[in-house]
Amino acid sequence: MSKLYLGIDLGGTTIKFGMVDEAGKVRKQWNIPTNIEDGGSHILPDMLDSIGNYLPKYASDQVMGIGLGTPGTVDQVHGTVNGAFNLNWTTEQPLKEKIESAFKIPFFVENDANVAALGERWVGAGENQNEVVFVTLGTGIGGGIIANGKLVHGIAGSGGEIGHIVVKPDGYPCTCGNRGCLETIASATGIARVGESFAGKYPESLLGEAAQKGKLNAKIVFDLAKSGDQAAIEAVDYVTYYLAWGLGQVADVLNPQYIVIGGGVSASGQFLIDHINKFFPNFVFDNIKKTTSLRLAELGNDAGILGAASLVRESLKEIEEGV
Amino acid sequence: MSKLYLGIDLGGTTIKFGMVDEAGKVRKQWNIPTNIEDGGSHILPDMLDSIGNYLPKYASDQVMGIGLGTPGTVDQVHGTVNGAFNLNWTTEQPLKEKIESAFKIPFFVENDANVAALGERWVGAGENQNEVVFVTLGTGIGGGIIANGKLVHGIAGSGGEIGHIVVKPDGYPCTCGNRGCLETIASATGIARVGESFAGKYPESLLGEAAQKGKLNAKIVFDLAKSGDQAAIEAVDYVTYYLAWGLGQVADVLNPQYIVIGGGVSASGQFLIDHINKFFPNFVFDNIKKTTSLRLAELGNDAGILGAASLVRESLKEIEEGV
């Protein structure tokens, strides 16, 4: 009877559940919609119901624990979450207390970027190595850092705030209150904005024409660059120059084996990696050029449940080691 | 009978030895000159002699191990050092093998910036906390990173290359081959160069006069800034702006509790910290502003032996835990 880990990926529209085995294979997967009404007060009861429907199908000692990746500010020790605005959670949610008392098995929670980092590290592009940085280029930019085989939270949970590395102090204002954070340039939102700016500069280009027809997004900018449009290529160069700079700083601090790039923007694939690699060597120490490499994330939508399963597995290992 | 740790600080002119107790107190200290002649071939025999003179004064089970901080490229696992040019070591030095076979007690070695980080963390400004970054502003800029209570080496030992974070891509060429590394601006050498540049801009200032009399150094620049000379203040602002930016990037990645600043330049004291703090909040995420703080190193010249003792202590703990 193989050990299983129940991984849960709590998102703003869907809650994904996966029973994951010791080899990182998803044995059983199911989803429920996220009901964010009434201040998100249905979310925890809905999760409890859904777990309760599936857990009894397994032997009582087969499922080793439950892991959850969530937006918001996570207190790993007490297993609570607060300030997850896309779930309408504005008060502290006692997840660990409720879930452990309902099912009598260990529960662990982490923010979603850290969970995705654990997933990619375990069975994705991170090849189960101990020095892996994960960066997700989506609406914003998130990050998760694994050093010496463990997540780096820092003193107050803000380790891995790669999106808020400043790369252009006189740049666009960021939601965080500063200016020129990497997120303002290289998130999907940032890329669209950079695209608009190059479209304005070259109105005759394909990029310029696209901008006149409707709102640009990161996919349009990258697709036009791939098709050879010079304005779009300049926009992608601009974005990937700053991305290389920001990730280079991360590499100089951590010398990871892999920097794994995920999130919606990473759908532009090897083209994105190749463009970052054009600039990356200018921003890192010699030995890091030789030993740190950039990779595309591999797990796609499963990163969340696999990472949450990995969170359980790693946490139980730590408890066993008495760390 | 208190446990003791023998910490050794191997420098280009002096080898410092210290018997350190469990509370981080140096019980006995002695030095020998570093003889770098003949390709540094006397260094290891001299160390063996000196250890052999002192070790027999202690009970055979009182000294738990020997730790060493050294320049050069360190292989922690095999306990070898290579490429320590100020020691004239250009071939691999089998330190662990020789020292362990001579004295039959465990030996551990790390590069000097990491060792200083361990020292400051243990009994210096790091207050024995688990999330501490140490940066040394000397001729160059070195760094040591402690996350989750452990040194971060990265995949190839280049974790903590804070001096080579690029802050000005069009800046001065750096010894590493890139341009605009933090080291080119905020090391002692960098500060002197920045000082010269502001002296040229304001030849009538005290800074300008000092530059006409002789070569500027970091101390002169900071002393004149403290005395109110406007040109020197501008130079210090320039330096600390980039220092805040670079350290802000480190803070966004790691959210450490403390960034401890040591090395010769830190002799300018709280004036330096205050100047960095003027700019630091512009470069870090909100939660990091509230939780990461900058501090002056406290151990001075003892950081090396205390850190080397801490290296032994931490390494033995890890072995005991079976990690």
Side-chain angles (χ1 to χ4, degrees):
Chain A
M1 195 182 65
S2 158
K3 285 181 189 175
L4 295 174
Y5 306 92
L6 175 53
I8 309 177
D9 178 4
L10 172 53
T13 53
T14 305
I15 309 174
K16 293 179 200 138
F17 300 79
M19 280 290 183
V20 180
D21 69 17
E22 188 65 32
K25 270 214 147 65
V26 181
R27 294 289 189 90
K28 168 81 195 163
Q29 184 169 352
W30 70 98
N31 301 334
I32 61 171
T34 311
N35 178 356
I36 61 170
E37 288 179 18
D38 306 315
S41 61
H42 304 286
I43 296 174
L44 182 49
D46 288 354
M47 278 201 287
L48 289 169
D49 275 357
S50 191
I51 299 169
N53 288 339
Y54 283 85
L55 208 55
K57 301 178 185 190
Y58 298 88
S60 66
D61 59 346
Q62 188 177 11
V63 181
M64 308 305 292
I66 301 174
L68 176 75
T70 174
T73 305
V74 175
D75 176 335
Q76 288 87 12
V77 176
H78 300 98
T80 60
V81 178
N82 208 335
F85 299 106
N86 58 346
L87 305 176
N88 288 334
W89 279 353
T90 54
T91 59
E92 191 178 271
Q93 303 290 316
L95 302 179
K96 182 182 165 79
E97 183 197 321
K98 296 288 185 190
I99 291 175
E100 288 193 346
S101 79
F103 304 112
K104 316 289 176 212
I105 60 176
F107 171 81
F108 306 94
V109 58
E110 273 287 352
N111 83 54
D112 37 19
N114 281 345
V115 161
L118 286 175
E120 283 292 342
R121 178 255 185 146
W122 185 29
V123 286
E127 293 183 337
N128 209 19
Q129 297 301 306
N130 283 333
E131 312 293 332
V132 176
V133 169
F134 176 73
V135 53
T136 170
L137 309 178
T139 317
I141 293 184
I145 288 165
I146 294 158
N148 291 316
K150 299 207 189 309
L151 279 173
V152 173
H153 296 104
I155 190 67
S158 290
E161 283 292 358
I162 295 171
H164 297 285
I165 286 180
V166 173
V167 289
K168 203 169 185 327
D170 59 346
Y172 300 115
C174 181
T175 51
C176 77
N178 287 333
R179 276 182 176 272
C181 295
L182 186 57
E183 182 164 302
T184 64
I185 296 175
S187 65
T189 327
I191 295 167
R193 183 160 45 189
V194 170
E196 296 284 354
S197 141
F198 281 88
K201 196 171 158 195
Y202 303 108
E204 315 280 276
S205 66
L206 293 178
L207 187 70
E209 286 171 20
Q212 285 146 40
K213 275 186 220 149
K215 222 172 148 46
L216 289 180
N217 60 37
K219 185 176 184 322
I220 297 173
V221 175
F222 271 90
D223 284 351
L224 288 175
K226 284 180 189 175
S227 79
D229 180 64
Q230 206 51 44
I233 291 173
E234 276 192 39
V236 166
D237 274 344
Y238 184 93
V239 165
T240 50
Y241 173 86
Y242 285 105
L243 203 43
W245 191 359
L247 297 181
Q249 289 154 348
V250 177
D252 277 330
V253 175
L254 297 167
N255 187 202
Q257 182 164 5
Y258 301 122
I259 297 179
V260 177
I261 300 178
V265 173
S266 72
S268 48
Q270 193 58 35
F271 185 80
L272 169 69
I273 302 285
D274 291 345
H275 270 259
I276 304 174
N277 275 334
K278 273 206 306 188
F279 305 110
F280 191 69
N282 297 328
F283 295 121
V284 292
F285 190 61
D286 196 46
N287 190 38
I288 293 171
K289 281 176 215 177
K290 294 177 191 149
T291 55
T292 292
S293 56
L294 304 174
R295 293 192 146 198
L296 289 172
E298 293 176 355
L299 301 181
N301 289 332
D302 287 348
I305 51 176
L306 287 165
S310 173
L311 171 65
V312 178
R313 199 165 160 269
E314 294 296 322
S315 304
L316 291 175
K317 242 193 269 176
E318 276 188 37
I319 290 169
E320 211 170 277
E321 283 165 4
V323 176
Chain B
M1 195 180 65
S2 160
K3 287 181 188 174
L4 295 174
Y5 307 92
L6 175 52
I8 309 177
D9 178 5
L10 172 53
T13 53
T14 306
I15 310 175
K16 295 179 199 138
F17 300 79
M19 281 290 183
V20 180
D21 68 18
E22 188 65 33
K25 270 213 145 66
V26 181
R27 294 289 191 92
K28 169 82 194 162
Q29 183 169 354
W30 70 99
N31 302 334
I32 62 173
T34 312
N35 179 356
I36 61 170
E37 287 179 19
D38 307 314
S41 61
H42 304 286
I43 295 174
L44 183 48
D46 287 353
M47 277 201 287
L48 289 169
D49 276 356
S50 192
I51 298 169
N53 287 340
Y54 283 85
L55 208 53
K57 301 181 185 187
Y58 298 87
S60 66
D61 58 347
Q62 189 177 10
V63 181
M64 308 304 293
I66 300 173
L68 176 75
T70 173
T73 305
V74 175
D75 177 334
Q76 289 88 10
V77 176
H78 300 98
T80 60
V81 178
N82 208 334
F85 300 106
N86 58 345
L87 304 177
N88 287 334
W89 278 355
T90 53
T91 60
E92 190 177 271
Q93 303 291 315
L95 301 180
K96 181 181 166 77
E97 184 197 320
K98 297 287 185 190
I99 291 176
E100 288 192 347
S101 80
F103 304 112
K104 316 290 177 212
I105 60 175
F107 171 80
F108 306 94
V109 57
E110 273 287 353
N111 83 54
D112 38 19
N114 282 344
V115 161
L118 286 175
E120 283 292 341
R121 178 254 185 147
W122 184 30
V123 286
E127 293 183 339
N128 209 19
Q129 296 301 305
N130 283 333
E131 311 293 332
V132 176
V133 169
F134 176 72
V135 53
T136 169
L137 309 177
T139 315
I141 292 184
I145 288 165
I146 293 158
N148 291 317
K150 299 206 189 309
L151 279 173
V152 173
H153 296 102
I155 190 67
S158 291
E161 282 293 357
I162 295 172
H164 297 284
I165 286 181
V166 173
V167 289
K168 205 169 183 332
D170 60 346
Y172 300 115
C174 181
T175 51
C176 77
N178 287 334
R179 275 182 177 273
C181 295
L182 187 57
E183 181 163 304
T184 65
I185 296 175
S187 66
T189 327
I191 295 167
R193 183 162 44 189
V194 170
E196 296 285 354
S197 143
F198 281 88
K201 198 171 156 193
Y202 302 108
E204 316 280 277
S205 66
L206 293 178
L207 188 69
E209 286 171 20
Q212 284 146 39
K213 275 186 218 148
K215 223 171 150 42
L216 289 181
N217 60 37
K219 185 177 183 321
I220 297 172
V221 175
F222 270 90
D223 284 351
L224 287 175
K226 284 181 191 176
S227 79
D229 180 63
Q230 206 52 43
I233 291 172
E234 275 191 41
V236 167
D237 274 343
Y238 185 93
V239 165
T240 51
Y241 172 86
Y242 285 105
L243 202 44
W245 192 0
L247 297 181
Q249 287 154 350
V250 176
D252 278 330
V253 175
L254 297 167
N255 186 202
Q257 183 164 6
Y258 302 121
I259 298 179
V260 177
I261 301 178
V265 174
S266 72
S268 48
Q270 193 58 34
F271 185 79
L272 170 68
I273 301 285
D274 291 344
H275 269 260
I276 305 173
N277 275 335
K278 275 207 302 191
F279 305 111
F280 191 69
N282 297 328
F283 295 122
V284 292
F285 189 61
D286 195 45
N287 190 39
I288 294 171
K289 281 174 214 176
K290 293 176 191 151
T291 56
T292 293
S293 55
L294 304 173
R295 292 192 147 199
L296 289 171
E298 293 176 356
L299 301 182
N301 288 332
D302 287 347
I305 50 176
L306 287 164
S310 173
L311 171 65
V312 178
R313 199 165 160 269
E314 294 296 322
S315 303
L316 292 176
K317 244 193 267 176
E318 276 188 37
I319 291 169
E320 211 169 277
E321 283 164 4
V323 177

